[in-house]
Amino acid sequence: MYAQMVKTDPRSAEITPEEEAFQARLDADVKIEPKDWMPEGYRKTLVRQISQHAHSEIVGQLPEANWISRAPTLERKAILIAKVQDEAGHGLYLYCAAETLGVSREQLLDQLHTGKAKYSSIFNYPTLTWADVGAIGWLVDGAAIMNQVPLQRCSYGPYSRAMIRICKEESFHQRQGFDIMAKLAAGTAEQKAMAQDALNRWWWPSLMMFGPPDADSVHSAQSMAWKIKLNSNDELRQRFVDQTVPQARHLGLEIPDPDLRWNEERGHYDFGAIDWDEFYRVIAGQGPCNKERLDTRVKAHEDGAWYREGLQAHAAKKAERRRKAAA
Ligand code: BYC
């Protein structure tokens, strides 16, 4: 379906003087701030991307949180708790960035809970063993960093600034995942097999995180012209493969792709075909864990209603006291 949609070059369409001035600011790398004029499409695209990103951080806590109670040592447990908490923080920075575009937190959450807004495909896969926590840190956070480092330079000020802190924390996450994999890969034959099995299951879904191939990407051309995206999906996917293959070799693990080979001419690894049918099934809600993830999220939101109400009542009381003191 996506492949059949027509992409237009935003610069070839007729543009108003306001739009022209806006594009000139983007071309000069001047950041756009919340109160600046912006085309409605720019605002909507940002809300879509930032909120999808925020939802991914929040839903992304679930597969790993599943292992907090079963982490193999106290140290691993403490590290994993810190990582999962970091993801909650990332969600909050990103919801705040989206809110600067005139959309409320309630609206954003409602879109997630009713299935209207997407979150990353990767979080619809199960975490079956402890090695999956390592593979998520190494591969999923690794892919996230590859995508998010350029976003620190994106054109929208609040989003680009949120990404700076997020990227710092994601690199710690990636290192902790690699460390888990390194320990397992250097352990007993059974531990090494567990690491290999996790790599086998997470490799292809990690490549899908970067989105559909450029030829089928609906939003890339416009988002790149607006500097909401700085690189194409395929470009970042290739960078990720090039960076990760030597890391797998260092671990003594094998990437589950018989077509993977170094291409001297291109200066990149060639890799096998991605199962895009699987990707579209997962983002359409038919992945292995979509229902479980959404049900868990909705239940957590409903269970937390009393707490949100309490916070609001407390804030209202404080404001009332301040008003009285000032009168
Ligand atoms: N999953 O035109 P395209 C993390 C959708 S990491 C689900 O190329 P775009 C974390 C896309 O939304 C993950 N849906 O889209 C890591 C669009 O559908 P709609 C979060 C996907 O936006 C570790 C359609 O496919 N990172 O948070 O130009 C621990 C066509 O695609 C996916 C971000 O969100 C996918 N993988 O490019 C915890 C980074 N890929 O919206 C947490 C910011 C595509 O028209 N986002 N779709 O219905 C981006 O950079 C871009 O949005 C993407 C997609 C590269 C993901």
Side-chain angles (χ1 to χ4, degrees):
M1 170 189 125
Y2 290 101
Q4 285 149 22
M5 293 184 77
V6 181
K7 274 182 289 170
T8 54
D9 177 354
R11 288 163 199 236
S12 67
E14 237 175 65
I15 57 171
T16 64
E18 252 171 342
E19 283 168 342
E20 203 174 329
F22 178 80
Q23 190 63 50
R25 288 187 65 184
L26 297 183
D27 292 344
D29 282 331
V30 177
K31 294 263 181 258
I32 307 301
E33 296 297 339
K35 289 190 175 145
D36 294 340
W37 183 87
M38 59 185 82
E40 184 54 15
Y42 177 84
R43 192 188 71 79
K44 277 196 177 144
T45 302
L46 276 172
V47 170
R48 181 185 62 79
Q49 180 168 318
I50 301 173
S51 63
Q52 174 182 310
H53 193 166
H55 300 327
S56 305
E57 300 283 356
I58 298 299
V59 177
Q61 294 179 102
L62 301 175
E64 291 180 285
N66 188 30
W67 277 90
I68 290 175
S69 60
R70 291 173 288 160
T73 65
L74 182 60
E75 194 193 7
R76 291 288 186 203
K77 190 193 286 267
I79 294 170
L80 185 55
I81 290 172
K83 178 189 191 291
V84 171
Q85 278 180 342
D86 284 351
E87 309 299 0
H90 299 174
L92 291 180
Y93 316 148
L94 290 164
Y95 283 130
C96 289
E99 282 173 305
T100 65
L101 292 155
V103 59
S104 71
R105 184 80 59 100
E106 288 71 25
Q107 284 171 302
L108 296 172
L109 291 178
D110 189 59
Q111 285 167 5
L112 171 67
H113 297 157
T114 54
K116 280 188 206 128
K118 293 190 169 71
Y119 57 86
S120 181
S121 49
I122 193 76
F123 301 118
N124 292 306
Y125 292 86
T127 39
L128 304 178
T129 71
W130 170 250
D132 289 15
V133 175
I136 290 181
W138 172 38
L139 301 174
V140 175
D141 288 84
I145 298 170
M146 195 56 83
N147 168 283
Q148 291 168 18
V149 163
L151 290 178
Q152 294 175 107
R153 291 181 288 109
C154 81
S155 60
Y156 189 57
Y159 190 29
S160 75
R161 290 188 287 274
M163 292 319 303
I164 294 172
R165 177 152 176 196
I166 291 178
C167 283
K168 285 206 172 97
E169 292 176 349
E170 295 290 17
S171 38
F172 152 70
H173 297 169
Q174 201 259 356
R175 292 294 289 269
Q176 69 86 39
F178 188 80
D179 186 60
I180 292 174
M181 294 302 270
K183 283 273 170 5
L184 290 173
T188 62
E190 207 180 347
Q191 285 169 329
K192 187 169 180 186
M194 199 194 273
Q196 181 64 56
D197 169 62
L199 171 56
N200 294 348
R201 286 181 290 105
W202 289 92
W203 176 251
W204 293 105
S206 297
L207 297 192
M208 293 175 197
M209 282 176 71
F210 295 93
D214 291 351
D216 298 339
S217 169
V218 186
H219 304 291
S220 280
Q222 179 66 86
S223 290
M224 286 175 77
W226 277 332
K227 296 192 180 172
I228 290 172
K229 268 168 101 161
L230 288 115
N231 304 91
S232 78
N233 300 354
D234 285 335
E235 204 181 328
L236 292 173
R237 190 172 7 254
Q238 180 71 61
R239 270 190 212 170
F240 175 75
V241 172
D242 290 347
Q243 174 185 283
T244 312
V245 172
Q247 294 174 353
R249 298 223 164 113
H250 178 80
L251 291 171
L253 299 177
E254 206 174 311
I255 303 278
D257 178 357
D259 297 323
L260 184 78
R261 58 186 56 86
W262 178 253
N263 183 325
E264 195 62 52
E265 232 167 78
R266 291 200 313 123
H268 292 290
Y269 282 97
D270 290 336
F271 52 94
I274 295 173
D275 182 353
W276 291 112
D277 288 344
E278 174 180 323
F279 169 77
Y280 285 118
R281 265 199 311 277
V282 172
I283 67 170
Q286 285 139 35
C289 299
N290 294 61
K291 185 172 172 347
E292 183 187 329
R293 298 286 182 247
L294 213 52
D295 287 353
T296 308
R297 221 20 262 150
V298 169
K299 182 174 182 318
H301 188 70
E302 285 168 357
D303 289 351
W306 67 272
Y307 187 68
R308 288 192 301 279
E309 280 160 23
L311 283 179
Q312 272 164 359
H314 178 69
K317 267 218 164 119
K318 250 174 112 176
E320 178 68 19
R321 268 204 299 274
R322 243 184 270 123
R323 242 196 324 273
K324 277 190 181 149

